[in-house]
């Protein structure tokens, strides 16, 4: 069983989708120039840390399967998305099947992700400044979705055009 995927450097232009299987605890993916979609299968164990995915210029979408996931904290509000670095086409983060925690500065100053997909009935935690200065365009928290919104979690995110908070969805506001 695979438990680590580290320092993957693959410069050929033939892999467009990569699925990370159950049991993988650590990833470090670099320079996959043709990769368009990165998926994490149900119950995979990966937590995203700094520089987890770097230099993947074609990457458009990240999909997280059914699991609990934590996006680790960035170092400060001016750190450009320390998790996904130099992935200029990464526009969509789909956590609709996951319970997700976005720690402080985890996506601060991220210039690419503009669609964050959440799923009804899952649990989400947005820590203070988690998306500060990001390029999110809309945030839709579905009905019946326990969600914690810390103060300023979307601070100075001037690109936000629409926020929807569904019925019975706020578990905690700080």
């Amino acid at each position: 069983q695979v438990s680590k995927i580290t320092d993957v450097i693959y410069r050929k232009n033939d892999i467009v989708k990569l699925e990370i299987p159950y049991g993988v605890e650590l990833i470090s993916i670099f320079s996959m120039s043709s990769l368009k979609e990165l998926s994490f299968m149900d119950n995979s164990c990966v937590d995203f840390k700094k520089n987890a995915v770097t230099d993947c210029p074609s990457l458009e979408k990240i999909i997280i399967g059914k699991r609990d996931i934590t996006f680790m904290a960035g170092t400060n509000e001016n750190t450009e998305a320390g998790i996904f670095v130099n992935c200029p086409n990464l526009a969509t983060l789909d956590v609709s099947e996951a319970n997700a925690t976005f720690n402080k500065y985890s996506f601060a100053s991220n210039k690419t992700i503009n669609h964050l997909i959440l799923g009804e009935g899952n649990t989400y935690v947005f820590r203070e400044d988690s998306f500060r200065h990001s390029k999110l365009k809309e945030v839709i928290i579905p009905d019946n979705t326990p969600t914690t919104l810390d103060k300023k979690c979307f601070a100075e995110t001037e690109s936000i055009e629409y926020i929807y908070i569904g019925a019975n969805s706020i578990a905690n506001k700080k």
Side-chain angles (χ1 to χ4, degrees):
Q1 176 177 349
V2 176
S3 64
K4 294 181 181 179
I5 299 174
T6 60
D7 299 331
V8 173
I9 299 175
Y10 188 81
R11 293 199 163 103
K12 292 179 98 178
N13 288 320
D14 55 357
I15 295 178
V16 294
K17 183 175 181 178
L18 179 61
E19 291 185 345
I20 306 298
Y22 171 78
V24 174
E25 297 175 3
L26 176 67
I27 64 163
S28 181
I29 298 172
F30 299 97
S31 301
M32 294 188 73
S33 62
S34 62
L35 185 64
K36 290 185 180 282
E37 184 176 300
L38 180 58
S39 299
F40 294 83
M41 299 174 79
D42 292 353
N43 300 312
S44 60
C45 302
V46 175
D47 282 330
F48 287 94
K49 296 185 171 133
K50 188 174 173 100
N51 299 325
V53 180
T54 304
D55 296 323
C56 296
S58 297
L59 185 60
E60 298 171 352
K61 186 174 191 178
I62 303 275
I63 301 171
I64 308 297
K66 293 179 184 174
R67 63 175 307 260
D68 295 336
I69 187 162
T70 300
F71 294 94
M72 304 308 281
T75 54
N76 63 57
E77 68 182 83
N78 296 316
T79 301
E80 181 157 346
I83 298 169
F84 307 109
V85 178
N86 295 326
C87 302
N89 291 306
L90 179 57
T92 302
L93 177 60
D94 182 344
V95 291
S96 62
E97 298 292 321
N99 296 312
T101 298
F102 302 93
N103 280 327
K104 187 170 185 170
Y105 302 133
S106 55
F107 288 92
S109 299
N110 180 285
K111 303 296 184 215
T112 62
I113 295 175
N114 52 40
H115 299 292
L116 177 63
I117 302 172
L118 306 177
E120 184 173 349
N122 293 321
T123 301
Y124 299 100
V125 177
F126 294 88
R127 296 290 179 219
E128 181 179 354
D129 296 323
S130 54
F131 282 86
R132 183 183 198 90
H133 296 294
S134 72
K135 293 294 182 184
L136 280 178
K137 290 185 179 178
E138 65 180 25
V139 177
I140 298 174
I141 300 172
D143 294 342
N144 305 308
T145 302
T147 303
T148 298
L149 297 173
D150 284 1
K151 66 180 179 179
K152 302 191 291 183
C153 58
F154 301 112
E156 300 177 36
T157 302
E158 297 172 5
S159 59
I160 286 185
E161 299 169 358
Y162 181 75
I163 295 178
Y164 172 81
I165 299 174
N168 304 312
S169 290
I170 297 299
N172 193 1
K173 289 188 286 189
K174 294 185 176 183

